[in-house]
């Protein structure tokens, strides 16, 4: 098969981790007889430096005209002072919204090899963590009206949190579909004891649940969910929630698995095209030092093969290679433990390639 992939290396460690993912994709192409064409675009801080805006129109066009987008990371303290409309994060939100990527899939899985790196007690982590966070990605407080001004003599800010029924319905339905392919358990997380958006969320989720009688369904309040994630993460299989809650809970879910550097994500809309990125940030403190963990980006590329290109065997192959390399005791600095071999970002990439 031939696929065109729009590549956003981005800022900080973005370029080095994306490089490793592309070399892994090259190896897959060679092994399975595919052709992957990479089209690099500027977005994020590097685009601000080069073009004065984080998302040049030409970059966005290339995201809308390709088979999928692979992104490293954007942002960094260098651009903290720029106006909010052109901040690096605005590029990410702009792409998500323009591509209609309402479903953000963030698997959080504890690799047994990394159990010692989990901050949870062994008796809790030992029960296993393997959950899929399904986060609504283009609604809620992120995309409501934002404004700051003087009200009653003092500076006052507003961020409107808005959800329409159809926005809730499509993400909840997607989450039920995913649950069906896993262990058929879904928890919908909201704050229905306080927020109207959450009361609507709960009503719609329960209505959709009636269409999936084979999936065990429950609601959970977000504060309780935050607690349950550290108390008993093994209870979760698929979790669906709104944008802001999902942002927060997905970082929590990834951290309990040992290293945020391992975690991949897929952002999908109704078609097959998606955007794939590790869930960690641009880590400017270690940028350019060949220290970063490329596994989150490599596993994101695997998700691209699985979800957008229908290349399940190829994705399995990458995941198996990652497992084999971890089994062999190879670790980057972020998840290093006693008795393991410490590798740089590029060495880790090479090991995974060799294992394919
Ligand atoms: C994420 C990030 C982004 C978000 C930021 C960088 C805008 O934290 O992908 O989780 O909040 O969605
Ligand atoms: Mg986040």
């Amino acid at each position: 098969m031939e696929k065109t992939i729009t590549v956003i290396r981005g800022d900080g460690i973005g370029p080095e981790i994306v490089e490793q993912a592309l070399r892994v994709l090259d190896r897959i192409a060679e092994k399975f007889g595919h052709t992957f064409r990479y089209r690099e675009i500027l977005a994020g801080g590097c685009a601000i430096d080069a073009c004065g805006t984080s998302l040049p129109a030409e970059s966005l066009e290339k995201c809308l005209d390709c088979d999928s987008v692979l992104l490293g990371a954007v942002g960094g303290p260098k651009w903290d002072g720029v106006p909010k409309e052109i901040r690096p994060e605005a590029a990410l939100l702009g792409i998500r919204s323009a591509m209609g990527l309402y479903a953000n899939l963030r698997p959080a899985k504890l690799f047994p090899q990394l159990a010692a790196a989990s901050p949870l007690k062994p008796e809790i982590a030992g029960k296993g963590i393997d959950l899929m966070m399904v986060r609504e990605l283009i609604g809620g407080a992120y995309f409501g009206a934002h404004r700051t001004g003087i009200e009653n003599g003092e500076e006052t800010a507003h961020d409107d949190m808005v959800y329409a029924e159809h926005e809730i319905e499509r993400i909840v339905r997607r989450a039920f579909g995913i649950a069906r392919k896993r262990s058929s358990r879904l928890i919908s997380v909201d704050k229905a004891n306080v927020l109207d958006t959450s009361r609507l969320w709960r009503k719609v989720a329960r209505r959709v649940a009636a269409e999936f009688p084979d999936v065990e369904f429950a609601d959970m309040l977000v504060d309780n969910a935050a607690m349950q994630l550290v108390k008993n993460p093994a209870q979760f299989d698929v979790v669906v929630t709104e944008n802001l809650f999902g942002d927060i809970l997905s970082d929590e879910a990834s951290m309990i698995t040992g290293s945020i550097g391992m975690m991949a994500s897929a952002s999908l809309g109704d078609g097959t095209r998606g955007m794939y990125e590790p869930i960690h940030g641009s880590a400017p403190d270690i940028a350019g030092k060949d220290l970063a963990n490329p596994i989150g980006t490599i596993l994101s590329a695997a998700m691209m093969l699985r979800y957008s290109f229908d290349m399940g065997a190829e994705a399995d192959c990458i995941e198996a290679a990652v497992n084999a390399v971890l089994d062999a005791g190879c670790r980057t600095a972020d998840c290093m433990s006693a008795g393991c071999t410490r590798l740089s970002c590029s060495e880790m990439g090479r090991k995974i390639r060799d294992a394919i």
Side-chain angles (χ1 to χ4, degrees), residues 89 92-93 96 106 135 137 142 247 251 277 279:
E89 292 79 4
L92 201 53
L93 302 184
R96 288 173 179 170
R106 299 189 160 184
R135 168 188 175 194
L137 202 59
Y142 277 67
D247 177 46
D251 268 32
E277 54 177 311
I279 83 157

Side-chain angles (χ1 to χ4, degrees), residues 110-248:
L110 179 71
F111 287 85
Q113 305 95 321
L114 296 186
S118 170
L120 298 182
K121 288 187 190 147
E123 61 265 36
I124 295 178
K127 289 195 204 141
I129 304 171
D130 185 1
L131 63 91
M132 176 70 90
M133 191 72 70
V134 181
R135 168 188 175 194
E136 199 292 324
L137 202 59
I138 53 174
Y142 277 67
F143 290 91
H146 307 285
R147 65 182 192 281
T148 306
I150 304 294
E151 286 174 37
N152 303 317
E154 63 181 332
E155 196 164 25
T156 304
H158 301 248
D159 299 289
D160 286 349
M161 189 181 209
V162 183
Y163 269 108
E165 221 176 326
H166 78 274
E167 294 175 292
I168 302 170
E169 195 169 321
R170 64 187 177 184
I171 186 73
V172 171
R173 186 164 285 124
R174 177 68 70 101
F176 269 105
I178 292 167
R180 242 184 200 163
K181 291 194 187 149
R182 292 174 51 107
S183 68
S184 286
R185 287 181 297 126
L186 176 66
I187 290 180
S188 168
V189 171
D190 61 42
K191 189 70 183 171
N193 52 348
V194 178
L195 302 176
D196 268 31
T197 45
S198 281
R199 282 188 270 272
L200 179 61
W201 184 282
R202 190 170 280 211
K203 186 168 109 184
V204 173
R206 288 187 175 172
R207 190 176 70 215
V208 176
E211 296 168 30
F212 296 84
D214 52 313
V215 176
E216 195 185 308
F217 174 76
D219 317 289
M220 191 181 278
L221 293 172
V222 63
D223 47 352
N224 185 30
M227 179 179 76
Q228 296 297 334
L229 268 174
V230 290
K231 193 176 165 211
N232 177 18
Q235 71 185 286
F236 295 103
D237 180 27
V238 182
V239 176
V240 64
T241 192
E242 66 89 40
N243 205 346
L244 183 57
F245 298 160
D247 177 46
I248 299 165

